[in-house]
Amino acid sequence: MRQFYLRNGNGAEYSLMDVKHWLNSPKGLGLKFKNKYSQVGSNFIRTKVISNPKNPTGTVIFTGDNVYDKYQEFMFFTQIEPLTLVYNPNGTEYIADVSLDEIEKEEIDNKTSTLQVEVSFKRLTRWRRVILQRNDATIASGKVYTFTYPYQYGKDIANNVTIESDTVLESPCKITIIGNCENPVWRHYVNGVLKHEGSVNVSVTSGQRIVIDTTKTPYSIKKYDASNNLIADLYQLSDFSTERFFFLEKGTNRFSIGHDGTNALELAVEAHLEYETV
């Protein structure tokens, strides 16, 4: 069964499937194109494809006792930004950043004793599916890590993580290299072909990590400690003769790391596979 819920800036979740507050008649999950064409004789040639995402809408129905209080709780929740809409149509979770664009409140429906509120969200990003993969060079299935998300182990060789992408859209990612390492290098292969490379001249000690992030703008290369405290911005220390920042492509994406030392490195990749509509 399909599921909807919201996630706010505090990381809290608000179900839109709860019997006390549920989303009815959701719409705006599709896509519209505003394409440009040139006419050649009696024919038309498409010269540009412009996607125009629709905005999710629906009716939140508050039921039971104290529906006005439930409405206020909903409003307080959505005011803590950034706000994310989570949609699970078939067992796979997709998320999109949104803002509450419009809300229409009327009085309680006397026939049903419910408070029905029309809501409209502005979709700020594409839909994305997050894949989290980690290789610590000594596979130990089931272990969970404390930073950002619980990463799953793959079956890659040391210093490598592989992620399959089924979308034709180039998709951002977050690459985490975990110390000890000296002057790390990161490479991106697509279907076995080297596409991109990056490096930075820096030492990373045990408990520290480097994060190369294209999931947020501006893109960044930063060093953190074990408590997720920022130690340094490494952008100016990176090799400007290389691409440094990667996007996943359709097919098999392999991320490989190396450094000036001889020890195997721990690597984690958080891929945000993007879709125009889901």
Side-chain angles (χ1 to χ4, degrees):
M1 182 180 74
R2 56 92 166 165
Q3 297 181 17
F4 288 95
Y5 59 93
L6 294 168
R7 186 179 296 134
N8 69 12
N10 288 339
E13 294 182 352
Y14 185 96
S15 174
L16 292 171
M17 303 297 295
D18 193 295
V19 67
K20 298 178 182 178
H21 40 78
W22 54 283
L23 182 66
N24 185 46
S25 301
K27 298 179 181 178
L29 302 174
L31 180 70
K32 184 178 181 180
F33 291 98
K34 290 185 177 180
N35 299 329
K36 292 186 177 181
Y37 300 88
S38 293
Q39 185 171 1
V40 180
S42 59
N43 299 320
F44 289 86
I45 298 175
R46 188 176 64 187
T47 58
K48 191 172 185 179
V49 178
I50 303 174
S51 62
N52 183 25
K54 291 189 174 182
N55 295 318
T57 63
T59 304
V60 179
I61 300 179
F62 300 95
T63 66
D65 299 329
N66 303 317
V67 291
Y68 292 120
D69 292 341
K70 292 184 176 69
Y71 168 77
Q72 288 296 337
E73 290 172 0
F74 173 76
M75 291 304 302
F76 291 149
F77 182 93
T78 58
Q79 289 167 2
I80 302 173
E81 296 182 331
L83 194 63
T84 301
L85 178 63
V86 183
Y87 174 44
N88 188 329
N90 55 6
T92 299
E93 182 178 286
Y94 300 91
I95 61 177
D97 297 342
V98 298
S99 63
L100 184 59
D101 206 32
E102 185 177 356
I103 186 163
E104 295 185 9
K105 175 181 176 292
E106 298 182 2
E107 278 301 322
I108 293 175
D109 187 311
N110 292 327
K111 293 182 179 179
T112 62
S113 298
T114 61
L115 182 61
Q116 302 186 23
V117 178
E118 302 290 332
V119 296
S120 176
F121 296 97
K122 174 65 177 179
R123 180 152 69 90
L124 305 176
T125 64
R126 290 169 171 161
W127 291 101
R128 60 189 183 273
R129 176 168 63 97
V130 178
I131 296 179
L132 308 148
Q133 200 76 14
R134 176 164 175 157
N135 187 338
D136 74 344
T138 55
I139 303 303
S141 180
K143 189 175 180 182
V144 174
Y145 292 87
T146 56
F147 65 84
T148 311
Y149 293 98
Y151 284 76
Q152 298 295 321
Y153 280 107
K155 298 179 180 179
D156 294 284
I157 60 175
N159 296 2
N160 286 260
V161 162
T162 300
I163 293 178
E164 297 288 340
S165 174
D166 60 356
T167 174
V168 297
L169 300 176
E170 291 189 339
S171 299
C173 62
K174 185 185 296 184
I175 304 169
T176 300
I177 303 171
I178 303 151
N180 296 316
C181 68
E182 187 76 23
N183 303 327
V185 179
W186 52 97
R187 298 181 178 88
H188 178 211
Y189 297 82
V190 180
N191 299 322
V193 178
L194 176 63
K195 288 296 188 76
H196 309 101
E197 183 175 304
S199 66
V200 62
N201 293 319
V202 68
S203 296
V204 184
T205 61
S206 179
Q208 297 179 344
R209 63 184 185 275
I210 293 176
V211 179
I212 304 99
D213 191 357
T214 60
T215 66
K216 298 176 183 177
T217 304
Y219 309 148
S220 63
I221 305 173
K222 296 180 179 180
K223 181 163 71 168
Y224 297 87
D225 65 17
S227 299
N228 205 34
N229 297 310
L230 177 64
I231 298 175
D233 188 327
L234 304 178
Y235 179 79
Q236 293 298 331
L237 298 178
S238 62
D239 185 352
F240 282 76
S241 68
T242 63
E243 295 88 344
R244 294 166 295 157
F245 300 110
F246 308 157
F247 289 80
L248 282 82
E249 300 178 24
K250 183 177 175 61
T252 301
N253 294 261
R254 180 166 62 87
F255 298 87
S256 179
I257 53 174
H259 69 130
D260 288 344
T262 59
N263 58 293
L265 298 177
E266 298 185 45
L267 169 66
V269 177
E270 176 183 318
H272 292 206
L273 302 185
E274 294 192 343
Y275 306 84
E276 294 285 13
T277 182
V278 293

